[in-house]
Each structure stands twice: as C-alpha cells, then as structure tokens.
Amino acid sequence: MIFNMSATILRASATRSALRAAASSAPKRAGLAGASFVRGKATLPDLPYDYGALEPAISGQIMELHHSKHHNTYVTSYNNFSEQMASAQSAQDIAAQIALQPLINFHGGGHVNHSLFWENLAPKSQGGGEPPSGQLSKKIDESFGSLEEFQKKMNAALAGIQGSGWAWLVQDTQTGNIGIKTYANQDAVVGQFRPILGIDAWEHAYYLQYQNRKAEYFSAIWDIINWKTAEKRLK
C-alpha cells in the first residue's frame, strides 16, 4: 500500500504537536539515552525522523499508529500501574504488589523495546541500510560468517516467533560474544544480555501494509536499519 508522502508528513506533524502539548517534557529523540523517564515517569519520545520517512519499507500510516498509539499506550499504562504500585507499597499491600508487577513488566518492556526500536531505524537519506562497520561488523563476520548469513538467521528467528514478540541481536555482558535471542510479548533484554539490534514481530508493526506476508516485512526492514546506532551499543 502506497501512501501520499506529503499528507502523511502533515498528519505526523499534527499528531506529534498534540503529543508534545500533552507531554511537554518529552525528549526530542527516541531512546533510553534521551531520558525516557522524567521525574519517575516514562514519556513518549519524539522520533528523529518523520513518520513517512521510512517508506516504502514501513508506511507512514503504520509508523504513526505504532508510535503515537501503541507506544503511547505502553507509556501511559506503565505510569498508571507504577502509581498503583507506589500506593500498594505505601499500604504494605503485598498481594496488590504481586498482581501489579507483571503489568509493570509488560508495559515497561513495551516502552523500553520501542524506544530502542525507533533508534534502530533510519531513512536511507540518513544512512538507513548502510552495512555495519568497525567492531560490530567484525563480530558479525566471526559469529555468523557474513552480514547476509546473519540477516538470514535473524529473519528465521523472527519467522519462528509464535504469536507476538521480538528478535534481538544481543551481546553477552559476561563474555562479549554476540548472538540472536527471541523474546515473547514485550519482555525486555535485561540481565546477562545487552540489546544491540531489535526487530518488532508484533502484527501491529507490519499488518496494515504487509497483511499476512510478514516475511516481506522482515526482508524490507533491512533497508532502513540504523547500524550506526547498533555499533554504539556494542561494548
């Protein structure tokens, strides 16, 4: 499905202006480095590109809905459940705290994952799709044989996700090695592993454009991957 670029960008600007008015403290760039949590609350990050800038790989309509609706819902829900958790802690209501924790994990994970995901993407005019270089390129060659082989294995991992989830290129914080891991729903990459590059396999990330042809989405997204950001996450 092809969307008119000018109309998409105008809609994007209007939506983003409204979001800024509702949350004036939101950082101007997506990602955890942009202070995703302000005064204890999560905020929806602005994107460093317009909604239509990733076409034709991802349509402007998908980007607008994905960012301003889906991601925003994770932010709002995380804040709401966090406030409820604070009240439960003050009341020493252990049962309520136990019940709330999975909700905080889910919506907090959704916020963290999407903040990283937006940074993983870039328009071709801003270097999207340009192959990795430096240490990351070397590690990919050592671990997978080549960038092409890594992409095949990553796409196979994405295709193997049953239901909703993510596939990530991760780095083991103990060994420094890289590998591919899949996570269900909005489980975040934490603990032993560091997120380097993530791809969203939830239907809302592609269905309006690709419908049931999700393999086409997994193939097309490599044209807009921001390898420079991935390189910066490598330690």
Side-chain angles (χ1 to χ4, degrees):
M1 185 180 298
I2 305 298
F3 299 92
N4 181 277
M5 180 72 76
S6 297
T8 301
I9 293 174
L10 286 173
R11 290 197 305 273
S13 298
T15 301
R16 291 163 67 190
S17 296
L19 289 170
R20 280 193 292 270
S24 59
S25 61
K28 295 183 178 180
R29 298 280 174 167
L32 299 180
S36 294
F37 297 90
V38 178
R39 295 180 183 176
K41 287 193 174 184
T43 59
L44 181 69
D46 283 352
L47 301 183
Y49 40 77
D50 290 310
Y51 288 134
L54 303 181
E55 294 183 348
I58 302 178
S59 73
Q61 185 183 35
I62 285 178
M63 288 299 298
E64 183 175 353
L65 290 172
H66 199 170
H67 175 255
S68 69
K69 303 299 183 183
H70 289 281
H71 188 173
N72 196 39
T73 296
Y74 293 125
V75 169
T76 301
S77 297
Y78 171 80
N79 289 333
N80 288 340
F81 290 126
S82 293
E83 290 177 0
Q84 292 178 37
M85 176 65 83
S87 297
Q89 289 172 339
S90 296
Q92 297 184 345
D93 187 340
I94 296 175
Q97 293 176 54
I98 293 172
L100 285 165
Q101 193 59 59
L103 298 171
I104 290 174
N105 291 349
F106 178 82
H107 293 285
H111 173 47
V112 169
N113 288 341
H114 284 87
S115 295
L116 294 171
F117 182 56
W118 308 134
E119 289 186 338
N120 276 157
L121 307 177
K124 284 191 172 185
S125 61
Q126 297 178 22
E130 293 181 3
S133 60
Q135 188 65 18
L136 179 56
S137 177
K138 180 180 178 181
K139 280 187 171 290
I140 287 175
D141 288 344
E142 290 174 349
S143 300
F144 301 99
S146 67
L147 176 61
E148 291 73 21
E149 285 302 311
F150 161 69
Q151 290 172 331
K152 289 179 182 178
K153 287 181 170 60
M154 188 76 159
N155 285 355
L158 285 159
I161 294 173
Q162 296 183 352
S164 301
W166 295 72
W168 291 89
L169 174 65
V170 301
Q171 184 177 28
D172 190 314
T173 59
Q174 298 177 7
T175 66
N177 296 331
I178 62 172
I180 295 171
K181 290 182 68 66
T182 58
Y183 290 77
N185 300 313
Q186 292 297 352
D187 290 353
V189 183
V190 295
Q192 182 178 347
F193 298 100
R194 176 183 301 112
I196 304 298
L197 170 70
I199 295 179
D200 191 347
W202 280 64
E203 282 191 347
H204 64 238
Y206 63 86
Y207 200 83
L208 282 177
Q209 183 174 359
Y210 294 96
Q211 298 179 358
N212 64 322
R213 306 183 309 278
K214 64 180 181 180
E216 293 182 20
Y217 159 68
F218 298 148
S219 177
I221 201 169
W222 296 108
D223 290 338
I224 52 172
I225 289 295
N226 186 351
W227 286 105
K228 293 179 181 178
T229 294
E231 175 80 35
K232 292 176 181 179
R233 294 179 185 156
L234 195 72
K235 301 297 183 181

